Amino acid sequence: MARSSSGIVAGLTAAAIAVIGFLGYQASATAPAHPQKAAPQSPVPAPSDSGAAKPDPAKPVAVPAGSGTGPRVVYSVGQKRVWLVGPSGEPKSFAVMPSTVHPVPGSYTVGSRTGNVTGSDGVPIEHVVRFASPQGIAVGFSARVDNTLPAPDPGKKTGGVRMTRADSDAMWAFATIGSKVVVVP
């Protein structure tokens, strides 16, 4: 009898493992692409202290003068900030982590977009909005899938202007092919 009981136990164990594997597969197949979880406390490092007064977080940061008119994305390399300026003129603004390669100040057009890809720094990124290619390096806005914003390796030429995933969602919805991007110092 001991022999037949061990065969039943082995069969039940194998069946339980198969059921758990199937349920795990179902859970992963129906998981949302962007699970809702608490955002990191401070994913964007504070801008370096240049002696200037720090902006009040309760007040919006003004769109840089000389950045044009009409709907556009404004990217200030020096302020490490982006503004999405819609038709009404009311901007959405957020901090970004610049890449090591920067486009010269001027007006550009969104030329390509990619939903998910591996970035030039080797990490998975999403919502890539490309608009320039100085020095043969594609420059665009994107978010790391892990929602972190580390400073880029200064020894590598990369073009990813990184932002949080929430800001990347807004950029993706706003900056379609042909959208205007204005780069200011």
Side-chain angles (χ1 to χ4, degrees), residues 145-166:
V145 173
D146 67 8
N147 205 32
T148 61
L149 292 174
D153 179 347
K156 293 183 179 177
K157 290 186 175 187
T158 59
V161 180
R162 297 291 164 73
M163 56 194 64
T164 66
R165 290 181 83 189

Side-chain angles (χ1 to χ4, degrees), residues 11 52 67 71 84 93 96 99 138 144 150-151 154:
S67 67
L84 305 179
S93 178
V96 296
S99 59
R144 288 173 58 126

Side-chain angles (χ1 to χ4, degrees), residues 96-145:
V96 296
M97 177 57 67
S99 59
T100 59
V101 176
H102 311 293
V104 297
S107 185
Y108 299 86
T109 302
V110 173
S112 69
R113 295 167 23 117
T114 304
N116 293 293
V117 70
T118 299
S120 56
D121 55 359
V123 300
I125 58 174
E126 65 184 1
H127 294 162
V128 182
V129 176
R130 294 178 202 87
F131 63 93
S133 55
Q135 302 173 33
I137 306 294
V139 175
F141 305 109
S142 62
R144 288 173 58 126
V145 173

Side-chain angles (χ1 to χ4, degrees), residues 27 66 179:
S179 293

Side-chain angles (χ1 to χ4, degrees), residues 32 53 63 90 112 132 140 169 177:
V63 178
E90 187 63 33
S112 69
D169 288 344
I177 299 290

Side-chain angles (χ1 to χ4, degrees), residues 70-74 83-87 90 92 110 113 129 168-177 179-180:
R72 65 201 182 281
V73 175
V74 179
W83 291 261
L84 305 179
V85 184
E90 187 63 33
K92 172 181 175 43
V110 173
R113 295 167 23 117
V129 176
S168 158
D169 288 344
M171 176 68 75
W172 184 255
F174 185 87
T176 57
I177 299 290
S179 293
K180 184 177 182 179

Side-chain angles (χ1 to χ4, degrees), residues 28-52:
S28 68
T30 59
H34 298 289
Q36 298 295 328
K37 63 180 181 178
Q41 289 296 325
S42 181
V44 179
S48 61
D49 186 7
S50 62

